[in-house]
Amino acid sequence: MRIVVGSDHGGFELKEELKKRLMDQGHEVLDVGCHDKNMVDYPMIAVDLCKVLLAQGQDFGLLCCGTGIGISIAANKVKGIRAALCTDCYSARMAKEHNNANVIAFGGRTVGIEHAWAMVQAYMAAEFQHGIHEPRVKMIDEIQ
């Protein structure tokens, strides 16, 4: 898979570990920043990731900030993005199966690496189920 990742300083360590694990599995990972623990503004990272995701056709995006809240809100402001803040494996799977989320987000200060990794795996193993969900996703996209 082709995956684009990004974080602010609060999600940097989590992003780095998830990026490493994804690359170890053979996935192509593009990192839009940040690249160290220096303070950055998460809205800009979210927008950069979304632009790359939409322009270059990665399979999905992965964002991290301190809680995952702010960066997912910022990502959802970009037309064509459906970002889901995930807190458990069920929500990660449903983000894909029911909402066809193209970005998942985590809190670097709220979830541990093993839990975040399990959520990434759950999301990646899931497939959009179309059916009754497709019209709803279309409705979401039309709000923008």
Side-chain angles (χ1 to χ4, degrees), residues 14 44 59 129 139:
L14 180 59
M44 302 317 301
D59 293 297
Q129 292 183 350
M139 286 181 209

Side-chain angles (χ1 to χ4, degrees), residues 72-86:
S72 62
I73 291 171
N76 277 314
K77 298 292 184 180
V78 177
K79 183 175 175 61
I81 296 298
R82 289 176 306 280
L85 172 59
C86 300

Side-chain angles (χ1 to χ4, degrees), residues 3-142:
I3 303 155
V4 58
V5 300
S7 74
D8 72 353
H9 51 284
F12 175 74
E13 290 178 1
L14 180 59
K15 177 207 51 157
E16 288 296 303
E17 182 61 30
L18 293 173
K19 177 175 76 171
K20 177 187 177 305
R21 291 180 184 206
L22 288 164
M23 291 189 309
D24 287 349
Q25 286 192 339
H27 300 288
E28 180 183 325
V29 180
L30 175 61
D31 188 342
V32 298
C34 66
H35 301 290
D36 56 38
K37 292 182 185 179
N38 292 326
M39 188 178 298
V40 296
D41 295 322
Y42 62 81
M44 302 317 301
I45 298 293
V47 169
D48 289 347
L49 180 137
C50 294
K51 286 181 179 178
V52 168
L53 177 67
L54 295 171
Q56 297 183 16
Q58 270 75 9
D59 293 297
F60 71 96
L62 190 155
L63 287 168
C64 301
C65 71
T67 63
I69 298 169
I71 207 160
S72 62
I73 291 171
N76 277 314
K77 298 292 184 180
V78 177
K79 183 175 175 61
I81 296 298
R82 289 176 306 280
L85 172 59
C86 300
T87 57
D88 55 69
C89 290
Y90 180 76
S91 65
R93 183 169 56 91
M94 290 297 103
K96 185 63 176 179
E97 289 183 2
H98 289 195
N99 306 114
N100 203 19
N102 51 7
V103 174
I104 54 174
F106 304 112
R109 296 176 182 144
T110 61
V111 299
I113 181 59
E114 296 306 325
H115 186 57
W117 181 240
M119 289 188 280
V120 170
Q121 296 297 296
Y123 173 86
M124 291 175 61
E127 293 184 24
F128 182 48
Q129 292 183 350
H130 298 278
I132 64 169
H133 307 293
E134 196 155 8
R136 294 170 182 161
V137 169
K138 185 177 179 192
M139 286 181 209
I140 292 169
D141 289 343
E142 289 173 353

